[in-house]
């Protein structure tokens, strides 16, 4: 009798554990853009406020920056698995219904979508299996520039230079609007420190030829100087130089490393 009770109790505990494991993990939620497939639960969930994701299955392999939500769903025990293609089709159709476009669909188990709405843009990638699937959604946005004039001055005083993440149009020397606040802070710095003179120095990654990267780095440094001068800073307090791909600070074999190498440095003179 005691053995029977123990066996029954063991089976109850196993069943309870299985049911518990098939609930959404604590703190998780579906992304507002998509409703999950019926009979699935969230087994993994992660939100990164700002990062980059490479959509490799899309022509040009775009690297999209912004808020990234990663969800992994598993089918519940006893629920019929719909199959990989059915899952993918449900998501691509959902994207189309709200005006989105399908950028890539391999017709089996993977698709990439882009949805632009109310001035916002989101990219989504789905990878499917018969009884599970993963969904990565990137809500595209620029990283807010938080460096201030006092931050720049403190770093210049300490080490004589500072690397700034000023963004430009691809392969051009046009400063992106999201980087204007950091240019403004350089102007604030120079207006508040009338004797300070700086060299603006451009650097690139190793994508392209050394000659083209040298030319691009010089043009970008000059563009920053011109943007500063336009706000009333005397040209004589500024010089510009470009070093192309010759002074990397990170490994050019990775996208993260290349991003760090694409930089503008201010050097105290």
């Amino acid at each position: 009798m005691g053995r029977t009770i123990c066996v029954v109790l063991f089976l109850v505990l196993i069943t309870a554990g299985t049911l518990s494991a098939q609930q959404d993990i604590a703190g998780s939620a579906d992304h507002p853009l998509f409703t999950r497939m019926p009979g699935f639960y969230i087994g993994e969930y992660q939100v990164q406020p700002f990062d980059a994701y490479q959509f490799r299955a899309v022509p040009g392999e775009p690297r999209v920056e912004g808020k990234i939500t990663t969800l992994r769903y598993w089918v519940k025990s006893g629920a019929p698995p719909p199959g990989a293609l059915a899952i993918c089709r449900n998501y691509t159709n959902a994207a189309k219904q709200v005006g989105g476009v399908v950028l890539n669909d391999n017709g089996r188990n993977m698709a990439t979508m882009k949805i632009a709405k109310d001035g916002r843009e989101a990219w989504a990638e789905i990878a499917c299996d018969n009884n599970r699937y993963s969904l990565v959604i990137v809500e595209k946005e620029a990283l807010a520039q938080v460096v201030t004039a006092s931050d720049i001055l403190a770093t210049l005083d300490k080490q004589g230079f500072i690397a700034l993440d000023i963004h430009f149009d691809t392969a051009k020397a046009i400063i992106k609007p999201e980087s204007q606040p950091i240019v403004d802070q350089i102007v604030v710095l120079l207006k508040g420190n009338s004797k300070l003179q700086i060299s603006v120095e451009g650097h690139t990654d190793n994508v392209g030829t050394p000659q083209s990267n040298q030319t691009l780095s010089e043009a970008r440094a000059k563009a920053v100087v011109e943007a500063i001068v336009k706000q009333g800073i005397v040209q004589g307090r500024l010089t510009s130089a470009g070093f192309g791909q010759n002074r990397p600070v990170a490994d050019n074999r990775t996208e993260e490393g290349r991003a760090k190498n694409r930089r503008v440095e201010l050097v105290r003179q």
Side-chain angles (χ1 to χ4, degrees):
M1 181 67 175
R3 179 181 178 84
T4 302
I5 291 174
C6 288
V7 170
V8 171
L9 179 59
F10 176 76
L11 291 175
V12 169
L13 290 173
I14 290 295
T15 302
T18 302
L19 291 174
S20 175
Q22 295 184 32
Q23 303 297 316
D24 290 352
I25 63 172
S28 66
D30 294 316
H31 193 278
L33 279 177
F34 296 102
T35 301
R36 77 179 73 181
M37 294 289 292
F40 282 77
Y41 67 94
I42 301 173
E44 293 182 34
Y45 178 77
Q46 183 180 30
V47 177
Q48 297 168 290
F50 187 88
D51 208 335
Y53 188 80
Q54 193 91 34
F55 289 87
R56 300 187 185 279
V58 180
E61 298 186 354
R63 180 177 183 269
V64 183
E65 297 181 349
K67 178 182 178 182
I68 301 180
T69 302
T70 303
L71 294 140
R72 289 186 173 84
Y73 293 92
W74 277 267
V75 69
K76 293 182 178 180
S77 178
L85 182 59
I87 296 171
C88 282
R89 284 289 179 269
N90 269 274
Y91 276 85
T92 55
N93 289 338
K96 291 176 183 178
Q97 287 174 7
V98 294
V101 295
V102 178
L103 302 173
N104 174 70
D105 185 348
N106 69 3
R108 300 186 306 277
N109 60 0
M110 193 171 190
T112 305
M113 303 148 277
K114 181 171 73 171
I115 300 170
K117 189 176 181 181
D118 300 328
R120 303 296 298 274
E121 183 177 302
W123 291 57
E125 179 182 270
I126 185 165
C128 313
D129 202 342
N130 287 329
N131 57 3
R132 61 184 177 179
Y133 65 96
S134 63
L135 182 65
V136 179
I137 301 169
V138 183
E139 298 170 65
K140 187 177 180 180
E141 62 181 350
L143 179 64
Q145 297 286 357
V146 296
V147 65
T148 66
S150 59
D151 295 329
I152 298 173
L153 181 61
T155 304
L156 288 176
D157 287 342
K158 182 177 180 180
Q159 58 189 36
F161 74 96
I162 182 172
L164 299 175
D165 191 24
I166 297 177
H167 296 169
F168 299 84
D169 288 353
T170 303
K172 297 180 181 179
I174 300 173
I175 300 172
K176 285 183 175 291
E178 71 244 27
S179 292
Q180 187 58 46
I182 200 167
V183 174
D184 295 342
Q185 288 301 307
I186 299 172
V187 173
V188 172
L189 167 70
L190 292 169
K191 287 184 176 180
N193 298 269
S194 59
K195 295 183 179 180
L196 179 62
Q197 297 185 353
I198 60 173
S199 173
V200 179
E201 302 180 354
H203 301 266
T204 71
D205 57 27
N206 67 346
V207 177
T209 66
Q211 183 178 1
S212 64
N213 285 333
Q214 177 64 35
T215 300
L216 181 61
S217 67
E218 292 173 359
R220 286 179 169 177
K222 288 179 181 178
V224 174
V225 168
E226 290 171 1
I228 295 170
V229 171
K230 282 182 180 179
Q231 296 195 48
I233 301 300
V234 177
Q235 175 80 54
R237 298 176 62 191
L238 302 161
T239 59
S240 67
F243 296 95
Q245 64 190 56
N246 297 321
R247 297 183 179 181
V249 293
D251 190 346
N252 272 312
R253 291 175 297 181
T254 68
E255 177 53 38
E256 291 77 13
R258 291 191 292 272
K260 290 179 180 179
N261 290 331
R262 297 189 295 269
R263 67 196 189 280
V264 171
E265 290 187 358
L266 302 186
V267 181
R268 179 191 284 273
Q269 298 298 291

